[in-house]
Amino acid sequence: MTAALLTEDQQNLRQAVRRCLERGSGPRPHLSGEPGVIQPFDTELWRSLAAEIGVAGLIVPEECDGAGGRFADLAVVTEELGRSLAPVPFFSTVALATTALLVNAEDGLARELLARIAEGGTAATLAFCEDDGSWDVDAAATQAERTGDGWRLSGRKSFVVDGDTADVLLVSARTDGRLGLFVVERGADGLRQDATTVLDLTRRLGTVTLNATPARLIGSDEDAGTGLRTALDLALVLLAVEQVGSAQHCLDNAVEYAKQRVQFGRPIGSFQAIKHTLVDVLLKVEMARSAAYAAVAAADEYLSGPSEETAHRLATAASLAKAMCADAFMHTAEETLHVYGGIGFTWEHDAHLYYRRAKASELFLGTPDQHRDRFAACAGLGKGRCD
């Protein structure tokens, strides 16, 4: 979001987050020499962001020891994190786990976990995708069995963001034909958390295996599918904002490089082909930003007054934002590589890290084409499901 549209508090928040990220190690020290493997996240940077600045509890209600901020405040943080590809468990803990807990905020266990996350010392994630790669929450096959002392989960979850390192796992599982959301603590009996080889070297993914693992149920025995879909819509909005931040960073760096790189006795930015390329990128990024922050407004509206109507508007805006922002980031990352030329394809340059994030984010939580179809259904322009 441009500075002119930010409140004074949001501008201060953005500056504080940016300064903190500039002091951090950046993503490179967390890359491994082994292809597709990432080292653990920057614990010091996460402690500064989560505990000192308070990003972990930014939208957690005050009664759960959070800041009680607006979703727009969180979007400001997310855009900055997208710019830096910061190696911290923000997306898993805040965009996925916290939103899943917020839609169940009347439940005592959810409130307890929100308070733990707000303190800044707990990393959490949402585990709902399985080996088939479907992002549809109804595709869950993990089974939950009621026992005398609670619940036991058996199954396997794949493509779990920070799934190998999270302290708390929110796991979707089937029980008596319904979908439930369960809490599993790190170190629980029968729980295995493994790292997954990834394309995006700045975002960890893991596989979670459950073998009669003890778990606690969030909420009642009612089906949790509707709440989970709404939580994922909130996560989609933050993913779109993150993509805008990353795309803007790519554009800024490409423009700066075009001003400095000299070929045939003049900066390459003076050539018409480069000018046209960068203008096209700028237009895509600005349109994506508009879609992303329209979705942020819809998210704020839903959180201020949850209802079927506000949930529908959120779903519509979230899918549009995901489709536009994923396309814009992918286009920007590709064109940035073209502007850089040969140097952009080297391991030592960061351009490939943004390209990897763009490609992985393009697929994460549904492809742009899937979300265009969903947007059309939500808008009454096509067939299919909007929920």
Side-chain angles (χ1 to χ4, degrees):
M1 187 185 295
T2 59
L5 298 177
L6 297 177
T7 66
E8 183 178 353
D9 287 343
Q10 288 170 341
Q11 290 184 38
N12 292 336
L13 175 62
R14 183 175 71 173
Q15 291 169 5
V17 171
R18 186 172 294 188
R19 285 196 298 268
C20 185
L21 293 172
E22 288 171 350
R23 293 196 304 267
S25 61
R28 283 203 163 268
H30 299 272
L31 304 183
S32 169
E34 184 179 351
V37 177
I38 311 173
Q39 300 298 326
F41 62 81
D42 189 334
T43 53
E44 288 299 320
L45 177 59
W46 177 238
R47 185 178 297 111
S48 297
L49 288 168
E52 296 175 16
I53 298 179
V55 302
L58 196 56
I59 58 169
V60 173
E62 292 180 357
E63 54 268 29
C64 297
D65 300 326
R70 297 172 57 238
F71 202 82
D73 302 329
L74 191 60
V76 171
V77 174
T78 306
E79 189 170 346
E80 287 302 313
L81 291 169
R83 289 178 62 91
S84 68
L85 302 185
V88 293
F90 171 86
F91 198 86
S92 55
T93 301
V94 179
L96 291 170
T98 298
T99 55
L101 294 170
L102 282 175
V103 299
N104 293 281
E106 298 303 315
D107 178 71
L109 177 55
R111 295 165 72 87
E112 172 194 324
L113 291 172
L114 284 170
R116 284 175 57 184
I117 289 173
E119 289 176 357
T122 299
T125 193
L126 177 63
F128 69 97
C129 187
E130 303 195 354
D131 287 345
D132 63 358
S134 173
W135 300 112
D136 184 355
V137 298
D138 291 328
T142 300
Q143 295 296 312
E145 181 183 0
R146 193 190 297 269
T147 63
D149 57 350
W151 295 88
R152 298 272 175 171
L153 305 186
S154 295
R156 176 183 161 103
K157 297 293 185 179
S158 300
F159 312 110
V160 183
V161 183
D162 296 317
D164 60 319
T165 58
D167 303 310
V168 174
L169 298 160
L170 304 181
V171 183
S172 62
R174 298 212 162 272
T175 169
D176 301 326
R178 296 185 298 272
L179 193 67
L181 185 63
F182 296 85
V183 178
V184 176
E185 300 279 352
R186 185 174 183 84
D189 293 340
L191 173 65
R192 180 173 172 177
Q193 298 173 253
D194 297 307
T196 301
T197 301
V198 292
L199 169 66
D200 177 6
L201 299 178
T202 58
R203 173 164 285 155
R204 299 178 69 89
L205 295 179
T207 300
V208 175
T209 306
L210 306 121
N211 184 12
T213 303
R216 292 181 289 171
L217 176 66
I218 292 179
S220 65
D221 287 342
E222 294 181 6
D223 191 90
T226 299
L228 268 176
R229 281 186 283 273
T230 300
L232 289 177
D233 282 332
L234 293 170
L236 273 174
V237 176
L238 291 178
L239 180 61
V241 172
E242 179 188 89
Q243 290 169 321
V244 168
S246 298
Q248 184 66 59
H249 178 82
C250 289
L251 174 59
D252 291 344
N253 282 1
V255 169
E256 190 62 29
Y257 182 78
K259 292 178 180 178
Q260 298 174 357
R261 179 73 169 98
V262 174
Q263 279 281 33
F264 307 108
R266 53 195 284 202
I268 63 172
S270 65
F271 295 113
Q272 190 175 62
I274 299 295
K275 289 180 181 179
H276 286 183
T277 293
L278 293 176
V279 167
D280 287 344
V281 169
L282 174 63
L283 290 174
K284 284 186 179 293
V285 172
E286 289 303 316
M287 287 190 292
R289 177 176 283 108
S290 296
Y293 278 92
V296 168
D300 259 327
E301 181 188 30
Y302 169 80
L303 291 173
S304 299
S307 67
E308 289 187 9
E309 184 179 356
T310 56
H312 179 82
R313 284 200 287 268
L314 170 61
T316 306
S319 279
L320 177 61
K322 172 61 199 300
M324 291 189 65
C325 295
D327 285 346
F329 184 19
M330 194 70 247
H331 177 77
T332 303
E334 289 174 342
E335 293 300 338
T336 296
L337 284 172
H338 295 158
V339 171
Y340 279 121
I343 192 175
F345 290 86
T346 62
W347 175 261
E348 290 75 15
H349 202 282
D350 285 349
H352 73 97
L353 298 179
Y354 285 86
Y355 181 85
R356 288 168 180 266
R357 170 64 68 88
K359 176 54 69 175
S361 295
E362 182 183 40
L363 305 177
F364 187 56
L365 298 180
T367 66
D369 282 346
Q370 288 172 327
H371 282 287
R372 275 187 277 271
D373 288 343
R374 184 180 184 231
F375 169 76
C378 290
L381 302 175
K383 299 178 180 180
R385 291 173 47 181
C386 178
D387 60 9

